[in-house]
């Protein structure tokens, strides 16, 4: 997830202090991984440098001064472009598993075993998500659903690979 | 065989062939009261045959099945049939409701077959339909309700006798995701609250995610993943 774009998007509804931004982010998107203050401030200084946000006001207090940030026109355009660009599907997991399966076949280990163990691990994650979904609100449900569908896609790949192990063995083991 | 400690239903060394086709080749299984166990595996792996053997619908060629300490092989047909009627519940992919009966009559049917009066059977049926959120369909016939509603009626029917084991064979196979999930939520909640064990045959991971653990069947052999991971 692009933290910069998400913070920019949060600023579209009006100027906010760094602390408010962090709170809004954590509340809406940070269920699993809340932002560190450092991340917020480093991101904001990058956005400032690129002219995507500007300092709308500075409050002096007992501690360090508090900057209030506002999104610029360029920032709004940037958010719009980000929202309109599809995400690149990430095939990284399959390629790691594929490597493991092929290596198992090459070294005459039980590749089905690797797939079974991986399925059990995926299902373990799916059970946790399903449970969280059952107890959560709509936002929780939608976030969990997204993760569940991704895990399910991996599992379908596992099943398909399990069904094709003999063919794969022929393909990779014989020269 | 000796059943694993605390298990309600257990099987070992199950073999079953249909002609030259070997459906089960030494499969094992065990389930505790109130536990939901998913039986997974590709099509033709033998998972439905395993369920049918465990439920006493199909007699295995070899191996033994113990239900509550009793060996299914030592029971005659009438005893097995009584077991299926009073202690087991069934949900299939397609609800298999009786089209001529109303939904409440369908749910009450297992109780009526056990000799419960119509009034009492339908009262209990309505209670279960309320839990499955389909009590407003009581007077409708299966043809007048949606697939998801019909499946919830079928789940109510499976639970109406307060069985100790529910056998569910692809219970969400004919439903879309949202309806399928609702059926699974209601089935597992109702079963767990009544300490009913559920044997859930499915090839869908999202459905299996409602279980406590899974057993994978491949080429007629079973693998208990809890013991592996």
């Amino acid at each position: 997830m692009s933290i910069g774009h998400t913070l920019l998007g949060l600023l579209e509804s009006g100027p906010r202090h760094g602390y408010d931004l962090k709170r809004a982010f954590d509340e809406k998107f940070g269920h699993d991984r809340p932002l560190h203050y450092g991340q917020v401030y480093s991101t904001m200084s990058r956005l400032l440098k690129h002219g995507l946000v500007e300092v709308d006001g500075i409050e002096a207090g007992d501690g360090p001064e508090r900057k209030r940030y506002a999104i610029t026109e360029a920032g709004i355009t940037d958010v719009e472009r980000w929202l309109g660009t599809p995400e690149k599907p990430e095939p990284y997991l399959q390629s790691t598993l594929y490597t493991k399966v092929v290596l198992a076949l090459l070294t005459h280990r039980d590749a089905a075993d690797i797939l079974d163990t991986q399925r059990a691990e995926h299902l373990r994650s799916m059970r946790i998500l399903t449970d969280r979904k059952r107890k959560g609100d709509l936002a929780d449900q939608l976030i969990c659903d997204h993760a569940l569908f991704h895990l399910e896609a991996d599992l379908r790949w596992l099943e398909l690979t399990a069904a094709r192990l003999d063919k794969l063995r022929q393909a990779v083991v014989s020269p | 065989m000796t059943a694993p400690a605390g298990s309600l239903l257990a099987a070992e060394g199950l073999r079953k062939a249909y002609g030259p086709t070997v459906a089960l080749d030494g499969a094992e299984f065990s389930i505790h009261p109130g536990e939901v166990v998913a039986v997974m595996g590709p099509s033709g792996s033998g998972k439905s045959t395993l369920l049918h053997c465990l439920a006493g619908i199909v007699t295995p060629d070899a191996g033994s099945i113990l239900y509550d300490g009793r060996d299914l092989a030592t029971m005659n047909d009438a005893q097995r049939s009584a077991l299926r009627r009073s202690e087991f519940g069934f949900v299939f992919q397609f609800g298999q409701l009786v089209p001529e009966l109303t939904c409440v009559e369908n749910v009450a049917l297992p109780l009526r077959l056990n000799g419960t009066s119509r009034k009492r059977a339908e009262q209990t049926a309505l209670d279960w339909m309320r839990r499955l959120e389909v009590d407003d369909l009581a007077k409708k016939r299966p043809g007048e309700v949606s697939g998801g509603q019909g499946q919830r009626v079928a789940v109510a029917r499976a639970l109406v006798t307060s069985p100790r084991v529910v056998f569910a064979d692809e219970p969400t196979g004919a439903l879309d995701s949202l309806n399928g999930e609702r059926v699974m939520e209601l089935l597992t909640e109702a079963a767990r609250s009544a300490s009913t064990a559920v044997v859930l045959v499915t090839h869908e991971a999202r459905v299996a995610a409602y279980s406590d653990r899974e057993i994978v069947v491949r080429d007629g052999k079973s693998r208990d993943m809890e013991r592996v991971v």
Side-chain angles (χ1 to χ4, degrees):
Chain A
M1 166 162 38
S2 164
I3 292 170
H5 286 118
T6 312
L7 293 181
L8 270 180
L10 286 172
L11 278 178
E12 272 209 52
S13 58
R16 290 173 194 252
H17 291 104
Y19 174 76
D20 292 336
L21 272 174
K22 175 194 154 43
R23 207 174 48 189
F25 182 97
D26 288 351
E27 200 180 293
K28 291 193 170 60
F29 311 110
H31 293 273
D32 295 326
R33 275 177 295 179
L35 278 185
H36 297 297
Y37 284 109
Q39 274 177 294
V40 177
Y41 293 111
S42 63
T43 306
M44 292 323 286
S45 61
R46 182 169 52 81
L47 296 176
L48 261 177
K49 202 171 91 187
H50 289 111
L52 302 176
V53 297
E54 59 195 8
V55 176
D56 184 56
I58 298 178
E59 279 173 25
D62 295 338
E65 59 185 22
R66 298 177 65 201
K67 283 181 188 161
R68 198 171 63 206
Y69 301 96
I71 191 167
T72 61
E73 279 304 317
I76 293 173
T77 309
D78 200 51
V79 172
E80 199 159 298
R81 190 167 46 230
W82 178 60
L83 292 178
T85 311
E87 292 297 311
K88 195 177 171 189
E90 293 176 15
Y92 64 94
L93 182 58
Q94 273 81 348
S95 65
T96 310
L97 290 177
Y98 175 78
T99 308
K100 285 185 173 181
V101 170
V102 170
L103 275 177
L105 292 173
L106 284 173
T107 55
H108 305 289
R109 290 187 168 89
D110 191 345
D113 203 57
I114 289 174
L115 295 170
D116 279 349
T117 307
Q118 188 61 49
R119 182 201 299 103
E121 189 57 32
H122 266 61
L123 267 174
R124 196 205 306 268
S125 298
M126 289 181 79
R127 282 193 184 99
I128 293 169
L129 287 163
T130 301
D131 197 46
R132 178 171 146 194
K133 198 173 121 171
R134 201 168 49 215
K135 293 168 184 160
D137 57 13
L138 185 59
D140 264 327
Q141 287 169 15
L142 291 173
I143 289 166
C144 291
D145 268 335
H146 189 262
L148 280 166
F149 278 122
H150 275 265
L151 290 169
E152 194 181 23
D154 285 347
L155 276 167
R156 290 178 70 175
W157 180 87
L158 289 172
E159 299 304 345
L160 217 67
T161 307
R164 290 169 171 170
L165 273 182
D166 287 340
K167 272 189 181 173
L168 184 62
R169 184 179 292 110
Q170 283 172 16
V172 300
V173 173
S174 51
Chain B
M1 76 177 273
T2 328
S7 65
L8 176 63
L9 180 63
E12 72 174 23
L14 289 186
R15 283 175 203 283
K16 179 72 189 175
Y18 296 101
T21 310
V22 178
L24 291 179
D25 186 15
E28 292 180 12
F29 183 86
S30 75
I31 192 167
H32 290 76
E35 197 180 22
V36 180
V37 175
V39 179
M40 303 187 75
S43 299
S45 60
K47 51 191 194 298
S48 286
T49 305
L50 174 62
L51 180 137
H52 290 150
C53 285
L54 293 170
I57 297 169
V58 164
T59 306
D61 301 332
S64 54
I65 302 164
L66 288 184
Y67 168 71
D68 204 14
R70 285 173 286 168
D71 192 337
L72 252 55
T74 63
M75 296 182 190
N76 59 33
D77 281 350
Q79 286 169 321
R80 271 202 295 269
S81 173
L83 190 70
R84 285 198 298 270
R85 230 177 24 236
S86 55
E87 308 215 12
F88 294 170
F90 296 89
V91 186
F92 299 99
Q93 182 168 356
F94 301 99
Q96 297 189 337
L97 300 171
V98 182
E100 292 81 5
L101 300 180
T102 63
C103 287
V104 72
E105 286 167 344
N106 263 286
V107 177
L109 193 58
L111 292 172
R112 297 282 292 136
L113 291 173
N114 280 345
T116 310
S117 73
R118 173 185 287 272
K119 195 177 164 192
R120 218 171 124 207
E122 292 195 357
Q123 193 51 54
T124 310
L126 260 180
D127 287 345
W128 277 102
M129 290 180 80
R130 202 166 293 125
R131 290 177 71 168
L132 274 298
E133 301 169 355
V134 284
D135 48 315
D136 54 327
L137 307 176
K139 297 291 172 206
K140 291 200 184 300
R141 287 178 205 284
E144 300 171 303
V145 307
S146 73
Q149 291 169 331
Q151 202 60 338
R152 284 194 238 169
V153 172
V155 171
R157 185 179 61 181
L159 292 165
V160 76
T161 55
S162 299
R164 296 182 70 194
V165 188
V166 165
F167 296 93
D169 194 353
E170 302 281 7
T172 63
L175 304 179
D176 60 44
S177 310
L178 217 53
N179 272 302
E181 283 185 14
R182 195 71 194 122
V183 164
M184 283 314 299
E185 264 171 33
L186 293 166
L187 169 62
T188 50
E189 265 173 37
R192 286 193 176 108
S193 68
S195 283
T196 299
V198 180
V199 183
L200 171 68
V201 166
T202 183
H203 68 279
E204 287 180 81
R206 280 171 77 85
V207 174
Y210 285 88
S211 68
D212 298 308
R213 65 185 168 91
E214 78 274 13
I215 280 173
V216 176
V217 182
R218 183 168 295 130
D219 300 330
K221 294 182 173 67
S222 62
R223 192 154 186 232
D224 186 339
M225 293 316 293
E226 195 182 48
R227 291 180 203 162
V228 177
V229 181

